[in-house]
Amino acid sequence: MSQERLGHIACPREQEIVDLVVSGRWSDDDDLRAHAAECAACGETLELARLLKDDHKALCEKAPVPSAGAVWWRATIRARAEATRTAGQPITLLQGIAAATAVGLFVGLAGAWWRSIGSGDVWLERVDELVSRSVSVPAAVSLSLLLVLAACLIVAPIAVYLATADEP
Amino acid sequence: MREMTLSELSRLDAAASEADEAFQMDEDAFRLFYERTARPVWAYLARMTGDARQADDLLQEAYYRLLRAKAPYDSDAHRRNYLFRIATNLVHDIRRRPRVDAVPMSDEMEHADPRQTDAAGHAARRVDLSRAMAQLKPRERELLWLAYAQGSSHQEIAATLRLKTSSIKALLFRARQRLAAVLRERES
């Protein structure tokens, strides 16, 4: 690019030049060609537009693009994998809740059983006493806690069954 | 981990069918659109990243995102602009975490066909352009490519690059001057 053709001031006809170069009709317009030979900004625009357009054309010709079918197929596979993963999330969540409920239930039952058989160990009695004192909750609250626990005892097996059972 | 039950499998199968329907065009429409746009998009990605292999990967990703997008399109041109916007975003993402196994464009794509009469000169000009473009800011590269190689209007460029239409002219002018200056430096 020659120094004397530095395009320091924008020309209103630059876009016309770009449009003609891009559409491949540059050689059709003698008037604009004459203008570009005189106008520094348009001359620079013309040179760069030609250079970039040639490069674009060459790259497009050699572009190693896969077939539309291959791109579609890969997209389908990926969308299915993503949908499967998304659909699997609630199931995993439900399994987690069921497992946590089962563990809580087991611990609760084990504790109740331990109390019912009445341990003779002194240290366990002390722990029991300590827990009883620290958890000095009002009767209404303890009643609602008992109701929630009972509800869990009924709902948890049903939830586990629904999460794991096969449909007929 | 336990095996999946039949009910879970059927639920997942239904989800897979929904995934097929989640695409915003059918296969025939996609094929037509792809045939018209794949090469220009690849060229854009290749020139913006300077890496042919990355352009291959990003091409697939760009079409996938387009298919999954929920955007409503007024026309094919609108859809095309949206595709270029996706491609631009992908290039920006890649720039934040560059690949270690990049394949420079000059290694694969810049060699001219020896049967061409002015093959050497043509190839040299393209290598010069490629190196000059690499010295520009990403935004300048995008502007110049979209305007001069793609022939996009200022409105389309603004939509693709998320810029104001009124600022495109000035930005493009500065980018053009910068490319011309870099090319002059290379020549001298």
Side-chain angles (χ1 to χ4, degrees):
Chain A
M1 191 160 289
S2 53
Q3 282 287 337
E4 64 272 18
R5 297 190 67 184
L6 293 176
H8 289 300
I9 302 163
C11 175
R13 303 199 73 182
E14 283 173 24
Q15 193 55 46
E16 283 179 65
I17 290 174
V18 174
D19 290 344
L20 285 177
V21 171
V22 168
S23 63
R25 291 180 290 113
W26 168 245
S27 52
D28 299 351
D29 196 325
D30 293 336
D31 173 46
L32 205 55
R33 281 166 63 189
H35 171 77
E38 298 295 318
C39 173
C42 287
E44 188 179 85
T45 303
L46 174 63
E47 272 191 59
L48 293 181
R50 273 178 164 171
L51 204 53
L52 283 158
K53 188 64 196 168
D54 284 351
D55 190 43
H56 180 259
K57 193 179 164 195
L59 279 177
C60 284
E61 280 169 4
K62 293 183 178 182
V65 294
S67 70
V71 173
W72 176 266
W73 180 74
R74 280 186 213 138
T76 309
I77 297 290
R78 188 171 155 191
R80 284 183 180 196
E82 281 180 9
T84 305
R85 205 164 41 242
T86 309
Q89 279 169 357
I91 295 171
T92 312
L93 184 72
L94 202 60
Q95 283 173 352
I97 291 169
T101 312
V103 169
L105 207 60
F106 175 76
V107 170
L109 287 173
W113 173 76
W114 185 259
R115 280 186 186 193
S116 70
I117 60 167
S119 170
D121 292 342
V122 179
W123 67 272
L124 276 173
E125 280 175 14
R126 283 186 183 165
V127 168
D128 195 37
E129 196 181 347
L130 193 67
V131 169
S132 303
R133 278 183 191 167
S134 61
V135 190
S136 54
V137 287
V141 177
S142 63
L143 181 67
S144 28
L145 280 173
L146 275 172
L147 284 173
V148 169
L149 188 66
C152 281
L153 284 171
I154 296 163
V155 170
I158 298 169
V160 171
Y161 173 78
L162 289 175
T164 56
D166 280 345
E167 280 168 14
Chain B
M1 191 157 173
R2 70 177 182 81
E3 295 290 314
M4 277 200 176
T5 63
L6 285 174
S7 59
E8 284 165 10
L9 283 174
S10 62
R11 216 178 310 173
L12 296 183
D13 198 38
S17 306
E18 279 172 22
D20 290 352
E21 291 161 13
F23 288 164
Q24 49 110 326
M25 63 175 110
D26 63 28
E27 190 174 351
D28 291 339
F30 174 77
R31 278 173 189 273
L32 283 173
F33 180 72
Y34 182 86
E35 296 302 338
R36 280 198 302 273
T37 54
R39 287 174 182 277
V41 172
W42 189 91
Y44 178 66
L45 289 168
R47 203 38 97 211
M48 294 308 110
T49 58
D51 178 359
R53 206 177 291 168
Q54 225 159 37
D56 296 343
D57 294 346
L58 295 184
L59 183 83
Q60 176 76 42
E61 182 65 27
Y63 280 99
Y64 179 71
R65 290 193 187 184
L66 178 85
L67 283 168
R68 295 303 299 264
K70 303 287 180 202
Y73 302 107
D74 307 335
S75 61
D76 233 26
H78 186 197
R79 197 195 299 269
R80 195 171 185 275
N81 284 342
Y82 193 76
L83 178 63
F84 273 93
R85 185 195 284 190
I86 293 172
T88 304
N89 290 340
L90 288 172
V91 172
H92 290 180
D93 290 346
I94 284 290
R95 213 169 278 135
R96 289 184 208 118
R97 44 186 171 81
R99 276 170 65 146
V100 287
D101 59 340
V103 179
M105 288 296 295
S106 51
D107 291 347
E108 285 192 344
M109 301 297 297
E110 313 290 15
H111 299 301
D113 187 341
R115 287 167 296 182
Q116 287 178 350
T117 50
D118 61 343
H122 188 251
R125 277 198 302 277
R126 288 191 58 219
V127 169
D128 274 350
L129 175 68
S130 167
R131 289 177 183 164
M133 288 284 273
Q135 288 181 43
L136 300 183
K137 289 177 187 164
R139 184 63 88 208
E140 292 171 337
R141 273 203 295 271
E142 290 157 5
L143 280 161
L144 289 168
W145 192 264
L146 290 171
Y148 295 162
Q150 284 281 128
S152 303
S153 68
H154 287 190
Q155 220 168 0
E156 288 169 337
I157 296 170
T160 303
L161 302 182
R162 295 187 181 197
L163 296 169
K164 285 181 184 166
T165 309
S166 54
S167 65
I168 298 295
K169 193 174 180 182
L171 290 171
L172 195 54
F173 179 69
R174 278 203 287 274
R176 194 192 76 205
Q177 284 200 314
R178 178 119 164 77
L179 178 61
V182 174
L183 283 169
R184 271 197 304 274
E185 274 171 30
R186 296 194 68 80
E187 276 178 16
S188 61

